[in-house]
Amino acid sequence: MWWLVGLIVVLVIVAGYFVGIYNGLIRKRNETDNAWSQIDVQLKRRHDLIPNLVETVQGYAKHEKETFDAVIQARNRAVSAEGPAAAGQAEGILGAALGKLFALAEAYPDLKANQNFLALQEELSSTENRIGFARQAYNDAATRYNNAREVFPANLISGGFDRAELFEIEVDAEREVPKVQFG
Amino acid sequence: MWEQIERNRRRSRIIVTAMGMILVGVGMALGMFFSGQQQGALVGGVAALGIWLVLWLFSHSQGDDVLLRMAHARQIEKRDHPQLYNIVEEMSIAAQLPKVPRVFIVDDPSPNAFAVGRDPQKAAVAVTIGLLRLLDRDELQGVVAHEIGHIKNRDVALMTTAGIMLGAIVILADIGLRVMWYGGGSRRSRDHSGGGGGAQVILMLIAAVFLILSPILVQLIYFALSRRREYLADASGAMYTRWPEGLASALEKLGMASIPQADQSRVTAPMYIVRPLREGERRNLASAFSTHPPLEKRIQVLRGMGGNVDFQAYDRAYSKVLGDHVVGARTLAGTESIPANAPADLSAQPIPPTERLRAASDAFLAGAGYQRVPCHHCGAVLKIPKARQGRLSACPRCGASLGR
């Protein structure tokens, strides 16, 4: 009789332990998914800022039509890009085009002093940072999740949990965030 | 990676439990003394826990906003100081906080910053005007990351609980010693006539020594805990920004500042990035009775991370500088290293300190409900407090009508 009670207690404890591990895996997987969607949110933020930026710069540098067109085109392509690979490439081209746009300001002192432009500059560099931090947070979350699902005894029950792939930057232009030095 | 913080939390809980046991011990010593009997110890111990519970509930019902009010912090919106607000949002993304903390500015020329929020859902980050004037964007990011580290590591809840425990022990021991000193004599002679004997006297002596030593001991524990959480918040800051140099350079600048700070609350002290300076005090004195480690050590550790930003790199650098470990060795195995990464700054154009000061105080005034009224005649911008709004008809500088 007593051994039966003991067996049931042990079974309940073991089951509870695995339920805990399972819930932990679910939580970590959700965190990973959340982090991934943050990247999209921040990329969209960048797209939304660009028309405003181009409009401000246009007021001061009317002759640089080529640069504006390149930025607008890169933006539109990035907005409509399908799939991670295409999106990554489009964002990379957009980053490079933005770098050129900011380099323009060098030749227009009035633009450099413009409050609106300075504010946009802060917004855009914050957006670049956010994209970087969102990626970084995703990779951190994915690493935590992957570690959690591979260690013993979690690996006994983590068959249904797919490994999260890390975000790798493949396009050279994308790796280089537009860096602009102002005199 | 983050599991290390979990493990540290467990260790911190053990420390808080030890403090709780000392608190109960103090209560027992007092109870024994007052009743003159061994059974009094039980009552005293329970009473001490009761006092702690009341204090704890009181501090919880008050919430974090009391701390912000005590520091005279004003909440700001994004438009009041876009850069600061952006940085807080960026760091919340990096730390994966469930919600972006509220942002506050403190009208104090002494450069400092602190975080409150027992619950990451209701957290807040406050920085002084002096800090905004002193630091550039990367350094500010380092400081904010350190504060977000405090929030993420749940240091606010831990240090408040420990601080209340410390307060309860200090108060109880103080009461006990006073009673012993002034009223103890008659009680002891009465016990003697009752036939308690020499054992009673020895017990009394032991109780007295315990009452003298325990507040000192608990303070040492409390300060050691606080310093440890400070190092861990630095490690988290380096990790979130991926750029330890920002925080290191900020700490260097903070160490050189010598302006005393108005907020000297002991409750908020462990949450500040550097210990609030008192009038005429110097920084950087290593002391067992300090809530913060010496700045030069913190800077050395951050700069010794060797191009990596993960906790392993921090722990290696820490043990090189201080010969000890700050995170459990067992958890260091099997995790990969993360390289440092310079932040993107499109606005690499440096903003002069005077401009930064103006932006910071404008943001504070906006948070305090001031109204900005430009004079179209002379170009001056009037900043009018809430109570006086709409009661000024002419510009005090040029006398032109402010027809609105």
Side-chain angles (χ1 to χ4, degrees), chain B residues 143-200:
Chain B
V143 170
V144 170
H146 171 99
E147 296 307 331
I148 300 268
H150 274 312
I151 294 172
K152 186 82 179 177
N153 300 347
R154 308 269 188 147
D155 288 347
V156 188
L158 177 74
M159 291 320 293
T160 328
T161 309
I164 289 166
M165 203 100 74
L166 170 67
I169 291 170
V170 168
I171 292 170
L172 281 180
D174 193 50
I175 293 174
L177 284 173
R178 267 168 213 272
V179 170
M180 258 183 203
W181 192 252
Y182 293 111
S186 59
R187 191 181 294 267
R188 205 176 297 145
S189 62
R190 197 174 58 225
D191 288 344
H192 265 294
S193 58
Q200 200 76 38

Short mmCIF file of all heavy atoms in Angstrom, two decimals, chain B residues 143-200:
data_model
loop_
_atom_site.label_atom_id
_atom_site.label_comp_id
_atom_site.label_asym_id
_atom_site.label_seq_id
_atom_site.Cartn_x
_atom_site.Cartn_y
_atom_site.Cartn_z
N VAL B 143 24.95 54.53 -19.54
CA VAL B 143 24.33 54.77 -18.23
C VAL B 143 22.90 54.21 -18.22
O VAL B 143 22.50 53.52 -17.27
CB VAL B 143 24.33 56.28 -17.91
CG1 VAL B 143 23.48 56.57 -16.69
CG2 VAL B 143 25.75 56.76 -17.69
N VAL B 144 22.14 54.50 -19.27
CA VAL B 144 20.76 54.01 -19.33
C VAL B 144 20.75 52.48 -19.34
O VAL B 144 19.93 51.84 -18.68
CB VAL B 144 20.02 54.58 -20.56
CG1 VAL B 144 18.69 53.89 -20.76
CG2 VAL B 144 19.81 56.07 -20.39
N ALA B 145 21.71 51.88 -20.05
CA ALA B 145 21.79 50.41 -20.10
C ALA B 145 22.05 49.84 -18.71
O ALA B 145 21.48 48.82 -18.32
CB ALA B 145 22.88 49.97 -21.06
N HIS B 146 22.90 50.50 -17.94
CA HIS B 146 23.17 50.07 -16.56
C HIS B 146 21.87 50.11 -15.74
O HIS B 146 21.57 49.16 -15.00
CB HIS B 146 24.22 51.01 -15.95
CG HIS B 146 24.44 50.84 -14.47
ND1 HIS B 146 25.48 50.11 -13.95
CD2 HIS B 146 23.75 51.31 -13.42
CE1 HIS B 146 25.41 50.14 -12.63
NE2 HIS B 146 24.37 50.86 -12.28
N GLU B 147 21.11 51.18 -15.90
CA GLU B 147 19.85 51.31 -15.15
C GLU B 147 18.83 50.27 -15.60
O GLU B 147 18.13 49.69 -14.78
CB GLU B 147 19.27 52.72 -15.29
CG GLU B 147 20.15 53.82 -14.70
CD GLU B 147 20.53 53.55 -13.25
OE1 GLU B 147 19.76 52.88 -12.54
OE2 GLU B 147 21.62 53.98 -12.83
N ILE B 148 18.75 50.04 -16.90
CA ILE B 148 17.85 49.00 -17.41
C ILE B 148 18.30 47.64 -16.87
O ILE B 148 17.48 46.77 -16.58
CB ILE B 148 17.85 49.00 -18.96
CG1 ILE B 148 17.38 50.35 -19.49
CG2 ILE B 148 17.03 47.85 -19.52
CD1 ILE B 148 15.92 50.49 -19.77
N GLY B 149 19.62 47.48 -16.71
CA GLY B 149 20.15 46.26 -16.10
C GLY B 149 19.61 46.07 -14.69
O GLY B 149 19.19 44.97 -14.32
N HIS B 150 19.57 47.15 -13.90
CA HIS B 150 18.99 47.08 -12.55
C HIS B 150 17.54 46.62 -12.62
O HIS B 150 17.08 45.82 -11.81
CB HIS B 150 19.03 48.45 -11.87
CG HIS B 150 20.32 48.75 -11.16
ND1 HIS B 150 20.93 47.86 -10.31
CD2 HIS B 150 21.11 49.85 -11.16
CE1 HIS B 150 22.04 48.39 -9.81
NE2 HIS B 150 22.18 49.61 -10.32
N ILE B 151 16.80 47.16 -13.60
CA ILE B 151 15.38 46.81 -13.72
C ILE B 151 15.24 45.34 -14.11
O ILE B 151 14.50 44.58 -13.50
CB ILE B 151 14.68 47.71 -14.77
CG1 ILE B 151 14.67 49.16 -14.28
CG2 ILE B 151 13.26 47.23 -15.02
CD1 ILE B 151 14.19 50.14 -15.33
N LYS B 152 16.00 44.94 -15.14
CA LYS B 152 15.92 43.57 -15.65
C LYS B 152 16.35 42.55 -14.59
O LYS B 152 15.77 41.49 -14.48
CB LYS B 152 16.80 43.45 -16.90
CG LYS B 152 16.71 42.14 -17.61
CD LYS B 152 15.52 42.06 -18.53
CE LYS B 152 15.51 40.71 -19.25
NZ LYS B 152 14.34 40.55 -20.10
N ASN B 153 17.38 42.89 -13.82
CA ASN B 153 17.87 41.97 -12.79
C ASN B 153 17.05 42.03 -11.51
O ASN B 153 17.40 41.38 -10.53
CB ASN B 153 19.33 42.28 -12.45
CG ASN B 153 20.24 42.15 -13.65
OD1 ASN B 153 19.85 41.61 -14.68
ND2 ASN B 153 21.45 42.66 -13.53
N ARG B 154 15.99 42.82 -11.51
CA ARG B 154 15.09 42.95 -10.34
C ARG B 154 15.82 43.43 -9.10
O ARG B 154 15.56 42.97 -7.99
CB ARG B 154 14.43 41.60 -10.03
CG ARG B 154 13.76 40.96 -11.19
CD ARG B 154 12.33 41.39 -11.24
NE ARG B 154 11.61 40.65 -12.24
CZ ARG B 154 10.33 40.33 -12.12
NH1 ARG B 154 9.66 40.68 -11.07
NH2 ARG B 154 9.73 39.71 -13.09
N ASP B 155 16.77 44.33 -9.28
CA ASP B 155 17.54 44.82 -8.14
C ASP B 155 16.72 45.73 -7.24
O ASP B 155 16.99 45.82 -6.04
CB ASP B 155 18.77 45.58 -8.63
CG ASP B 155 19.79 44.65 -9.22
OD1 ASP B 155 19.64 43.43 -9.01
OD2 ASP B 155 20.72 45.12 -9.88
N VAL B 156 15.74 46.41 -7.83
CA VAL B 156 14.98 47.37 -7.03
C VAL B 156 14.24 46.63 -5.92
O VAL B 156 14.32 47.00 -4.75
CB VAL B 156 14.01 48.16 -7.92
CG1 VAL B 156 13.37 49.26 -7.12
CG2 VAL B 156 14.73 48.72 -9.12
N ALA B 157 13.54 45.54 -6.29
CA ALA B 157 12.81 44.77 -5.29
C ALA B 157 13.77 44.21 -4.24
O ALA B 157 13.53 44.32 -3.03
CB ALA B 157 12.07 43.62 -5.97
N LEU B 158 14.89 43.67 -4.71
CA LEU B 158 15.86 43.06 -3.80
C LEU B 158 16.41 44.09 -2.82
O LEU B 158 16.42 43.86 -1.61
CB LEU B 158 17.00 42.46 -4.62
CG LEU B 158 18.13 41.86 -3.80
CD1 LEU B 158 17.68 40.55 -3.19
CD2 LEU B 158 19.36 41.65 -4.66
N MET B 159 16.87 45.22 -3.34
CA MET B 159 17.52 46.19 -2.47
C MET B 159 16.52 46.88 -1.54
O MET B 159 16.88 47.26 -0.43
CB MET B 159 18.31 47.23 -3.28
CG MET B 159 19.54 46.67 -3.98
SD MET B 159 20.52 45.49 -3.04
CE MET B 159 21.16 46.53 -1.75
N THR B 160 15.26 47.04 -1.98
CA THR B 160 14.26 47.62 -1.07
C THR B 160 14.00 46.64 0.08
O THR B 160 13.96 47.05 1.25
CB THR B 160 12.94 47.90 -1.80
OG1 THR B 160 13.21 48.23 -3.14
CG2 THR B 160 12.18 49.01 -1.16
N THR B 161 13.82 45.37 -0.26
CA THR B 161 13.56 44.38 0.78
C THR B 161 14.72 44.34 1.78
O THR B 161 14.52 44.38 2.99
CB THR B 161 13.38 42.99 0.15
OG1 THR B 161 12.42 43.09 -0.90
CG2 THR B 161 12.89 41.99 1.17
N ALA B 162 15.94 44.28 1.25
CA ALA B 162 17.11 44.21 2.12
C ALA B 162 17.26 45.50 2.93
O ALA B 162 17.60 45.46 4.11
CB ALA B 162 18.37 43.97 1.28
N GLY B 163 16.98 46.64 2.30
CA GLY B 163 17.10 47.92 2.99
C GLY B 163 16.12 48.03 4.14
O GLY B 163 16.46 48.52 5.22
N ILE B 164 14.89 47.53 3.94
CA ILE B 164 13.89 47.58 5.00
C ILE B 164 14.31 46.67 6.16
O ILE B 164 14.19 47.01 7.32
CB ILE B 164 12.51 47.18 4.45
CG1 ILE B 164 12.00 48.28 3.53
CG2 ILE B 164 11.52 46.93 5.56
CD1 ILE B 164 10.84 47.87 2.69
N MET B 165 14.86 45.50 5.78
CA MET B 165 15.37 44.58 6.80
C MET B 165 16.45 45.25 7.63
O MET B 165 16.46 45.20 8.86
CB MET B 165 15.95 43.36 6.09
CG MET B 165 16.00 42.15 6.92
SD MET B 165 14.69 41.02 6.60
CE MET B 165 14.94 40.24 5.13
N LEU B 166 17.38 45.90 6.94
CA LEU B 166 18.46 46.61 7.61
C LEU B 166 17.88 47.67 8.56
O LEU B 166 18.28 47.78 9.72
CB LEU B 166 19.37 47.27 6.57
CG LEU B 166 20.43 48.25 7.09
CD1 LEU B 166 21.45 47.51 7.92
CD2 LEU B 166 21.12 48.94 5.93
N GLY B 167 16.90 48.44 8.05
CA GLY B 167 16.29 49.49 8.87
C GLY B 167 15.66 48.92 10.12
O GLY B 167 15.86 49.43 11.23
N ALA B 168 14.91 47.81 9.97
CA ALA B 168 14.23 47.21 11.12
C ALA B 168 15.24 46.74 12.15
O ALA B 168 15.05 46.94 13.36
CB ALA B 168 13.38 46.03 10.64
N ILE B 169 16.36 46.14 11.68
CA ILE B 169 17.37 45.65 12.63
C ILE B 169 18.00 46.81 13.38
O ILE B 169 18.17 46.77 14.60
CB ILE B 169 18.44 44.82 11.88
CG1 ILE B 169 17.83 43.51 11.39
CG2 ILE B 169 19.63 44.53 12.79
CD1 ILE B 169 18.69 42.73 10.45
N VAL B 170 18.33 47.87 12.64
CA VAL B 170 18.97 49.02 13.28
C VAL B 170 18.05 49.62 14.35
O VAL B 170 18.47 49.90 15.47
CB VAL B 170 19.36 50.08 12.22
CG1 VAL B 170 19.76 51.38 12.88
CG2 VAL B 170 20.50 49.57 11.35
N ILE B 171 16.77 49.77 14.00
CA ILE B 171 15.82 50.36 14.95
C ILE B 171 15.69 49.48 16.20
O ILE B 171 15.81 49.95 17.33
CB ILE B 171 14.43 50.54 14.29
CG1 ILE B 171 14.52 51.60 13.20
CG2 ILE B 171 13.38 50.93 15.32
CD1 ILE B 171 13.28 51.66 12.33
N LEU B 172 15.48 48.18 15.99
CA LEU B 172 15.28 47.26 17.12
C LEU B 172 16.50 47.21 18.02
O LEU B 172 16.39 47.28 19.25
CB LEU B 172 14.97 45.86 16.60
CG LEU B 172 13.53 45.63 16.13
CD1 LEU B 172 13.36 44.21 15.63
CD2 LEU B 172 12.55 45.90 17.27
N ALA B 173 17.69 47.10 17.41
CA ALA B 173 18.91 47.01 18.21
C ALA B 173 19.11 48.30 19.00
O ALA B 173 19.53 48.27 20.15
CB ALA B 173 20.10 46.73 17.29
N ASP B 174 18.77 49.40 18.37
CA ASP B 174 18.92 50.69 19.03
C ASP B 174 18.02 50.77 20.26
O ASP B 174 18.46 51.15 21.35
CB ASP B 174 18.59 51.80 18.03
CG ASP B 174 19.04 53.16 18.55
OD1 ASP B 174 20.20 53.26 18.96
OD2 ASP B 174 18.20 54.08 18.57
N ILE B 175 16.74 50.38 20.07
CA ILE B 175 15.79 50.38 21.19
C ILE B 175 16.33 49.49 22.31
O ILE B 175 16.39 49.89 23.48
CB ILE B 175 14.41 49.88 20.73
CG1 ILE B 175 13.78 50.88 19.77
CG2 ILE B 175 13.49 49.66 21.94
CD1 ILE B 175 12.49 50.39 19.15
N GLY B 176 16.75 48.29 21.94
CA GLY B 176 17.23 47.33 22.92
C GLY B 176 18.39 47.87 23.74
O GLY B 176 18.40 47.79 24.97
N LEU B 177 19.36 48.47 23.05
CA LEU B 177 20.55 48.97 23.75
C LEU B 177 20.20 50.13 24.67
O LEU B 177 20.72 50.22 25.79
CB LEU B 177 21.61 49.39 22.73
CG LEU B 177 22.35 48.22 22.08
CD1 LEU B 177 23.25 48.71 20.98
CD2 LEU B 177 23.14 47.44 23.12
N ARG B 178 19.30 50.99 24.22
CA ARG B 178 18.89 52.13 25.05
C ARG B 178 18.22 51.64 26.34
O ARG B 178 18.53 52.11 27.43
CB ARG B 178 17.91 53.01 24.30
CG ARG B 178 18.58 54.14 23.57
CD ARG B 178 17.61 54.79 22.61
NE ARG B 178 18.31 55.27 21.43
CZ ARG B 178 18.85 56.48 21.36
NH1 ARG B 178 18.74 57.30 22.37
NH2 ARG B 178 19.50 56.85 20.29
N VAL B 179 17.30 50.68 26.16
CA VAL B 179 16.58 50.16 27.32
C VAL B 179 17.56 49.51 28.29
O VAL B 179 17.53 49.73 29.49
CB VAL B 179 15.50 49.16 26.87
CG1 VAL B 179 14.91 48.43 28.08
CG2 VAL B 179 14.41 49.87 26.10
N MET B 180 18.51 48.74 27.74
CA MET B 180 19.51 48.08 28.59
C MET B 180 20.32 49.10 29.36
O MET B 180 20.61 48.94 30.53
CB MET B 180 20.45 47.29 27.69
CG MET B 180 20.16 45.83 27.67
SD MET B 180 21.39 45.02 26.66
CE MET B 180 20.46 43.57 26.25
N TRP B 181 20.69 50.16 28.65
CA TRP B 181 21.59 51.14 29.24
C TRP B 181 20.90 51.91 30.37
O TRP B 181 21.46 52.09 31.44
CB TRP B 181 22.03 52.10 28.14
CG TRP B 181 23.17 52.98 28.56
CD1 TRP B 181 23.12 54.30 28.83
CD2 TRP B 181 24.52 52.58 28.75
NE1 TRP B 181 24.36 54.76 29.18
CE2 TRP B 181 25.24 53.72 29.14
CE3 TRP B 181 25.19 51.34 28.64
CZ2 TRP B 181 26.60 53.69 29.42
CZ3 TRP B 181 26.54 51.32 28.93
CH2 TRP B 181 27.24 52.48 29.31
N TYR B 182 19.65 52.34 30.10
CA TYR B 182 19.00 53.23 31.06
C TYR B 182 18.13 52.47 32.05
O TYR B 182 18.13 52.76 33.23
CB TYR B 182 18.14 54.27 30.34
CG TYR B 182 18.98 55.22 29.53
CD1 TYR B 182 18.96 55.19 28.14
CD2 TYR B 182 19.82 56.13 30.18
CE1 TYR B 182 19.75 56.05 27.41
CE2 TYR B 182 20.61 56.99 29.45
CZ TYR B 182 20.57 56.95 28.06
OH TYR B 182 21.35 57.79 27.35
N GLY B 183 17.37 51.51 31.57
CA GLY B 183 16.38 50.88 32.46
C GLY B 183 16.76 49.47 32.87
O GLY B 183 16.00 48.81 33.58
N GLY B 184 17.91 49.00 32.43
CA GLY B 184 18.24 47.60 32.64
C GLY B 184 18.53 47.27 34.10
O GLY B 184 18.20 46.18 34.56
N GLY B 185 19.11 48.23 34.81
CA GLY B 185 19.60 47.94 36.16
C GLY B 185 18.53 47.41 37.10
O GLY B 185 18.69 46.34 37.69
N SER B 186 17.45 48.14 37.20
CA SER B 186 16.42 47.77 38.17
C SER B 186 15.85 46.40 37.82
O SER B 186 15.61 45.56 38.69
CB SER B 186 15.30 48.82 38.16
OG SER B 186 14.74 48.90 36.87
N ARG B 187 15.65 46.20 36.48
CA ARG B 187 15.07 44.95 36.04
C ARG B 187 15.99 43.77 36.44
O ARG B 187 15.53 42.75 36.92
CB ARG B 187 14.91 44.99 34.52
CG ARG B 187 14.09 43.85 33.95
CD ARG B 187 14.03 44.00 32.46
NE ARG B 187 13.28 45.20 32.10
CZ ARG B 187 11.98 45.19 31.85
NH1 ARG B 187 11.32 44.07 31.93
NH2 ARG B 187 11.34 46.29 31.53
N ARG B 188 17.30 44.02 36.27
CA ARG B 188 18.22 42.94 36.53
C ARG B 188 18.21 42.59 38.02
O ARG B 188 18.21 41.44 38.40
CB ARG B 188 19.63 43.33 36.09
CG ARG B 188 20.49 42.12 35.75
CD ARG B 188 21.84 42.55 35.22
NE ARG B 188 21.74 43.29 33.99
CZ ARG B 188 22.55 44.30 33.65
NH1 ARG B 188 23.50 44.69 34.47
NH2 ARG B 188 22.39 44.92 32.52
N SER B 189 18.15 43.63 38.89
CA SER B 189 18.18 43.35 40.32
C SER B 189 16.90 42.61 40.72
O SER B 189 16.92 41.75 41.59
CB SER B 189 18.32 44.65 41.11
OG SER B 189 17.21 45.48 40.87
N ARG B 190 15.79 42.97 40.04
CA ARG B 190 14.55 42.28 40.37
C ARG B 190 14.68 40.79 39.99
O ARG B 190 14.26 39.92 40.73
CB ARG B 190 13.39 42.92 39.59
CG ARG B 190 12.03 42.56 40.18
CD ARG B 190 10.92 43.34 39.47
NE ARG B 190 10.91 43.08 38.04
CZ ARG B 190 10.79 44.04 37.13
NH1 ARG B 190 10.69 45.29 37.48
NH2 ARG B 190 10.77 43.73 35.85
N ASP B 191 15.29 40.55 38.82
CA ASP B 191 15.47 39.17 38.40
C ASP B 191 16.35 38.42 39.40
O ASP B 191 16.13 37.25 39.69
CB ASP B 191 16.12 39.12 37.02
CG ASP B 191 15.13 39.56 35.97
OD1 ASP B 191 13.93 39.58 36.29
OD2 ASP B 191 15.55 39.88 34.84
N HIS B 192 17.37 39.13 39.90
CA HIS B 192 18.28 38.51 40.85
C HIS B 192 17.53 38.04 42.08
O HIS B 192 17.70 36.91 42.51
CB HIS B 192 19.35 39.50 41.27
CG HIS B 192 20.59 39.36 40.44
ND1 HIS B 192 21.35 38.23 40.50
CD2 HIS B 192 21.15 40.17 39.53
CE1 HIS B 192 22.36 38.35 39.64
NE2 HIS B 192 22.25 39.53 39.03
N SER B 193 16.65 38.93 42.60
CA SER B 193 15.93 38.56 43.83
C SER B 193 15.01 37.38 43.56
O SER B 193 14.73 36.59 44.44
CB SER B 193 15.13 39.74 44.36
OG SER B 193 14.22 40.16 43.35
N GLY B 194 14.55 37.28 42.32
CA GLY B 194 13.69 36.15 41.95
C GLY B 194 14.48 34.86 41.89
O GLY B 194 13.91 33.78 41.78
N GLY B 195 15.81 34.97 41.85
CA GLY B 195 16.60 33.75 41.89
C GLY B 195 17.08 33.28 40.53
O GLY B 195 17.30 32.09 40.34
N GLY B 196 17.21 34.19 39.58
CA GLY B 196 17.65 33.81 38.23
C GLY B 196 19.08 33.34 38.23
O GLY B 196 19.46 32.41 37.53
N GLY B 197 19.92 34.00 39.00
CA GLY B 197 21.29 33.56 39.15
C GLY B 197 22.21 34.08 38.07
O GLY B 197 21.85 34.93 37.26
N GLY B 198 23.44 33.56 38.07
CA GLY B 198 24.48 34.05 37.18
C GLY B 198 24.19 33.75 35.72
O GLY B 198 24.58 34.52 34.83
N ALA B 199 23.49 32.67 35.44
CA ALA B 199 23.20 32.30 34.05
C ALA B 199 22.42 33.43 33.37
O ALA B 199 22.66 33.75 32.21
CB ALA B 199 22.38 31.02 34.01
N GLN B 200 21.52 34.03 34.11
CA GLN B 200 20.72 35.13 33.58
C GLN B 200 21.61 36.30 33.15
O GLN B 200 21.45 36.85 32.07
CB GLN B 200 19.74 35.59 34.66
CG GLN B 200 18.55 36.36 34.15
CD GLN B 200 17.54 35.43 33.51
OE1 GLN B 200 17.32 34.32 33.99
NE2 GLN B 200 16.93 35.87 32.43
#
